[in-house]
Amino acid sequence: MFQKEEYQFIYRWFSNILGRELTDAQLQSLQAGEFTPFFAFLKEAGFAAEIAQLETALASLQLHPHDRLELAANFAECFLLEGAISAMPYASAYLAGEELTQNLQKMDDYLTEFGLQTNRQVNEPSDHLCVYLEILLKLVEQKTLAEQRQFIREQLQTWLPKMAEKLAKIPLQNQFYPALFSLLCKILALHATES
């Protein structure tokens, strides 16, 4: 469906937005329409409903006098609070036992294969969603579509649906992060079934 370069742009974009709270510059670029062509491209690719949710969330944020602070609070509610409250962006929050052990072992193997390291300065665990997206970027760059699909199915789709379910239940004033996550899951589902 998407070309290699398109997948690279898409996953890098998600990693930048989901990795930490948005900066003023990031939020301004989203609100100023810098990503309108990207959103239009995704609408044409079949993700019109998800993009509409994202655009609605961004528009409602502009009505808030402290939009970036509101979004930062939502980011904390979604991803940073204790596991019973937040949808923690870590595989270990959703997998257990042998399934978790195998998932983490494969991640370590991929990190070694691609010469990647987690950020020890901020104590970044290797099972954070953004680490998975970095590995997926490397797979898109260097490996076959079959290997990319296998990674999505075995490493991501074993726990991302559970995270999405949890995220959808968090009572938020603004639906930016749930809409963003829904879009990511749909794109990954498409990628995993491509032939």
Side-chain angles (χ1 to χ4, degrees):
M1 168 91 188
F2 293 124
Q3 301 300 313
K4 176 179 168 175
E5 296 76 17
E6 293 165 344
Y7 272 128
Q8 288 173 308
F9 182 88
I10 289 167
Y11 294 135
R12 193 161 285 117
W13 185 79
F14 276 112
S15 186
N16 287 336
I17 288 192
L18 289 169
R20 60 193 58 82
E21 294 171 10
L22 291 188
T23 63
D24 285 322
Q26 284 176 307
L27 182 56
Q28 284 165 6
S29 69
L30 281 167
Q31 291 176 330
E34 286 180 34
F35 289 96
T36 301
F38 175 53
F39 290 168
F41 166 75
L42 289 176
K43 281 180 188 175
E44 283 180 33
F47 301 101
E50 292 76 21
I51 293 298
Q53 289 177 322
L54 203 53
E55 289 174 330
T56 300
L58 284 168
S60 73
L61 259 182
Q62 287 183 302
L63 304 174
H64 199 283
H66 305 289
D67 53 358
R68 199 191 69 76
L69 291 177
E70 173 70 14
L71 201 55
N74 280 357
F75 184 87
E77 282 182 73
C78 289
F79 308 120
L80 301 179
L81 301 179
E82 185 264 317
I85 302 165
S86 285
M88 307 283 287
Y90 303 100
S92 55
Y94 307 96
L95 302 177
E98 189 58 31
E99 191 178 24
L100 176 62
T101 303
Q102 286 179 0
N103 190 296
L104 295 181
Q105 182 56 57
K106 282 186 182 174
M107 285 301 288
D108 287 343
D109 293 345
Y110 281 119
L111 287 167
T112 302
E113 179 182 350
F114 293 122
L116 297 173
Q117 292 183 330
T118 56
N119 189 341
R120 297 288 177 218
Q121 291 175 322
V122 294
N123 206 19
E124 180 184 48
S126 63
D127 68 328
H128 189 283
L129 172 60
C130 290
V131 177
Y132 285 76
L133 291 176
E134 284 302 313
I135 298 285
L136 184 51
L137 274 165
K138 291 290 185 188
L139 289 167
V140 169
E141 285 170 19
Q142 301 175 24
K143 302 289 182 176
T144 65
L145 180 58
E147 289 169 291
Q148 296 162 36
R149 288 169 42 197
Q150 182 180 1
F151 177 83
I152 293 168
R153 288 197 301 263
E154 294 178 4
Q155 297 302 114
L156 282 164
Q157 290 182 327
T158 51
W159 61 276
L160 273 189
K162 296 172 192 169
M163 183 181 166
E165 227 174 86
K166 198 161 190 184
L167 191 57
K169 291 177 184 168
I170 298 171
L172 297 166
Q173 292 294 317
N174 186 281
Q175 293 298 306
F176 177 77
Y177 286 109
L180 191 68
F181 205 78
S182 173
L183 177 62
L184 172 62
C185 288
K186 295 268 172 68
I187 289 172
L188 286 167
L190 173 74
H191 194 164
T193 56
E194 267 190 295
S195 53

